[in-house]
Amino acid sequence: MKVNIEMLAAIYKLGTAVVCADGNINPQCAKPLTNFFYGINGFNDEAMQRVVDYANKNESMTAQRAVELITDFDIDAKKKIVNLLADIVRAEGELSEKKLEMFNGARSLCGLPESDEPLVDNSSDVIPPTFLAAKTNGLAYPFMSEADDWQGLDADIAEHIGAERTEVVRFTAPLNILSKRLGLVDCHLVFLVDRNGYQKDDIGDNMTGTILYGSGHEILGNIVFALETDKGYELKGFTSARLIEDAYIAINAAVGNLLRLE
């Protein structure tokens, strides 16, 4: 991925926000940030000063602009960024609550994946495969499935949307944006619909599904959100409590807060 001065300034601005999160500018915390930049081939003091000036003096380089730029980075670049931020947080030895909060906020806003070495033990975050249903009336709820094959999973999901069979909706422009925002690695966000919904007269329009389909095509009936692997297109549930919570928040924001939890 090729980077320009604006992108480097966005990284500097985000990294500096984590360094200064608790109001204490510890040189030890800033060291991973400077090491990151000087590790770029050909980078020198003059280049560093240009980045700092752009981040601090250019009126267009707002915090929002930095988030927008980093959100659009590819997954390899995002992995480097999240590892950089994690190194900043752990630089003092003891984890600062404010820095950790800023780190988690940056991950959520920019759709960054997990760092290679998690900052905290997140074993309690692991949940059984869980899916998110969104009804035509705007109510949403999570449900679990222990099915270990497509036939069993299809039956479980079909039951929740009142269908005989389901169909997967994938790779629409809005879903692709959400997958990137959530920092998904080796998988993408999809939703499932009633395969025979258009033959039924008693199901209504699902505005959430219609918006996320993104082409003006009306989606009918209840839908279920899930993850699907990039290779093999295997359907799976969310296995992280935090990820499914982030997914609900991101989905709801994308559809104008039409959803509410049941």
Side-chain angles (χ1 to χ4, degrees), residues 119-221:
L119 289 170
V120 295
D121 178 11
N122 56 11
S123 57
S124 61
D125 182 57
V126 177
I127 57 175
T130 302
F131 301 82
L132 181 65
K135 296 181 177 181
T136 55
N137 62 4
L139 291 177
Y141 66 91
F143 67 91
M144 298 177 183
S145 174
E146 296 182 358
D148 56 5
D149 59 19
W150 165 245
Q151 187 174 2
L153 189 53
D154 184 47
D156 280 356
I157 293 175
E159 180 180 353
H160 280 272
I161 62 177
E164 291 75 39
R165 295 182 63 197
T166 65
E167 183 173 357
V168 180
V169 176
R170 59 173 69 88
F171 298 139
T172 69
L175 285 177
N176 289 344
I177 291 172
L178 286 170
S179 293
K180 181 180 290 188
R181 188 162 294 161
L182 291 170
L184 299 179
V185 179
D186 298 329
C187 66
H188 48 271
L189 184 69
V190 300
F191 67 84
L192 293 94
V193 300
D194 184 344
R195 180 185 288 268
N196 301 317
Y198 290 96
Q199 300 173 14
K200 300 177 180 179
D201 298 324
D202 58 345
I203 59 175
D205 169 37
N206 192 304
M207 187 58 68
T208 295
T210 298
I211 291 172
L212 295 182
Y213 195 78
S215 67
H217 186 79
E218 191 176 48
I219 298 296
L220 299 178

Side-chain angles (χ1 to χ4, degrees), residues 17-253:
V18 178
V19 170
C20 303
D22 50 14
N24 300 318
I25 305 177
N26 185 334
Q28 192 67 20
C29 294
K31 191 173 181 180
L33 187 60
T34 54
N35 287 346
F36 175 87
F37 282 102
Y38 283 99
I40 298 172
N41 188 34
F43 209 83
N44 53 30
D45 291 347
E46 184 181 347
M48 187 76 239
Q49 191 59 53
R50 286 201 302 269
V51 170
V52 172
D53 288 344
Y54 196 101
N56 294 333
K57 298 179 181 179
N58 192 306
E59 293 183 358
S60 67
M61 182 43 64
T62 61
Q64 181 178 350
R65 179 56 180 160
V67 167
E68 290 172 352
L69 287 165
I70 294 172
T71 299
D72 286 336
F73 283 7
D74 62 35
I75 192 60
D76 290 335
K78 285 185 173 184
K79 196 69 174 176
K80 292 178 182 177
I81 301 304
V82 77
N83 286 332
L84 163 64
L85 299 182
D87 286 344
I88 293 172
V89 175
R90 65 167 63 92
E92 290 178 303
E94 289 188 17
L95 297 184
S96 157
E97 185 176 335
K98 291 289 186 181
K99 284 185 173 64
L100 190 57
E101 184 178 339
M102 182 68 75
F103 172 82
N104 289 331
R107 279 198 61 219
S108 178
L109 285 171
C110 299
L112 302 178
E114 287 275 6
S115 55
D116 288 339
E117 297 181 23
L119 289 170
V120 295
D121 178 11
N122 56 11
S123 57
S124 61
D125 182 57
V126 177
I127 57 175
T130 302
F131 301 82
L132 181 65
K135 296 181 177 181
T136 55
N137 62 4
L139 291 177
Y141 66 91
F143 67 91
M144 298 177 183
S145 174
E146 296 182 358
D148 56 5
D149 59 19
W150 165 245
Q151 187 174 2
L153 189 53
D154 184 47
D156 280 356
I157 293 175
E159 180 180 353
H160 280 272
I161 62 177
E164 291 75 39
R165 295 182 63 197
T166 65
E167 183 173 357
V168 180
V169 176
R170 59 173 69 88
F171 298 139
T172 69
L175 285 177
N176 289 344
I177 291 172
L178 286 170
S179 293
K180 181 180 290 188
R181 188 162 294 161
L182 291 170
L184 299 179
V185 179
D186 298 329
C187 66
H188 48 271
L189 184 69
V190 300
F191 67 84
L192 293 94
V193 300
D194 184 344
R195 180 185 288 268
N196 301 317
Y198 290 96
Q199 300 173 14
K200 300 177 180 179
D201 298 324
D202 58 345
I203 59 175
D205 169 37
N206 192 304
M207 187 58 68
T208 295
T210 298
I211 291 172
L212 295 182
Y213 195 78
S215 67
H217 186 79
E218 191 176 48
I219 298 296
L220 299 178
N222 300 331
I223 64 175
V224 168
F225 290 96
L227 300 175
E228 187 179 60
T229 60
D230 292 338
K231 293 182 179 179
Y233 297 100
E234 296 180 8
L235 202 70
K236 62 180 186 176
F238 296 86
T239 53
S240 160
R242 176 172 178 176
L243 181 56
I244 195 169
E245 180 181 356
D246 287 350
Y248 170 75
I249 292 170
I251 290 166
N252 203 20

